[in-house]
């Protein structure tokens, strides 16, 4: 799981990740209170992939996690509200 970019961000950010082999993966974004803000679940190929999230209205520290058959990874990012 790679660090989102840009970070901090306003409204929109891209999250990248690298998979050792093709599989179904789920990316989820949560606010500091643990509320789910966005989610993507798809079949991804082996190697590097990325998803762009429109998180307009979000602000503060957010968490994102990648769930795959290989495990769960999480990182934090910062959204700057307008």
């Amino acid at each position: 799981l790679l660090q989102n970019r840009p970070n901090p961000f306003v409204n929109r950010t891209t999250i990248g990740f690298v998979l050792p082999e093709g599989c179904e993966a789920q990316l989820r974004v949560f606010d500091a209170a643990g509320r789910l803000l966005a989610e993507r679940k798809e079949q991804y190929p082996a190697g590097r992939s990325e998803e762009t999230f429109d998180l307009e209205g979000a602000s503060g520290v957010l968490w994102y996690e990648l769930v795959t058959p290989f495990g769960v990874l999480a990182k934090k990012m910062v959204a700057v509200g307008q």
Side-chain angles (χ1 to χ4, degrees):
L1 180 60
L2 306 173
Q3 186 63 51
N4 70 300
R5 61 183 208 283
N7 188 36
F9 69 94
V10 176
N11 296 334
R12 181 177 283 229
T13 190
T14 299
I15 299 171
F17 55 94
V18 179
L19 297 174
E21 55 187 66
C23 66
E24 184 175 87
Q26 182 179 30
L27 268 174
R28 301 191 297 177
V29 179
F30 300 92
D31 66 12
R35 288 183 294 254
L36 182 65
L37 300 179
E39 180 177 28
R40 301 265 167 78
K41 186 174 187 178
E42 292 187 30
Q43 187 73 27
Y44 292 95
R48 190 176 198 282
S49 296
E50 61 182 30
E51 290 283 351
T52 298
F53 289 89
D54 185 353
L55 298 165
E56 188 171 347
S59 65
V61 175
L62 306 178
W63 292 90
Y64 60 100
E65 70 176 15
L66 175 67
V67 180
T68 72
F70 309 106
V72 179
L73 296 172
K75 287 189 178 281
K76 61 182 173 178
M77 59 185 169
V78 177
V80 179
Q82 287 190 315

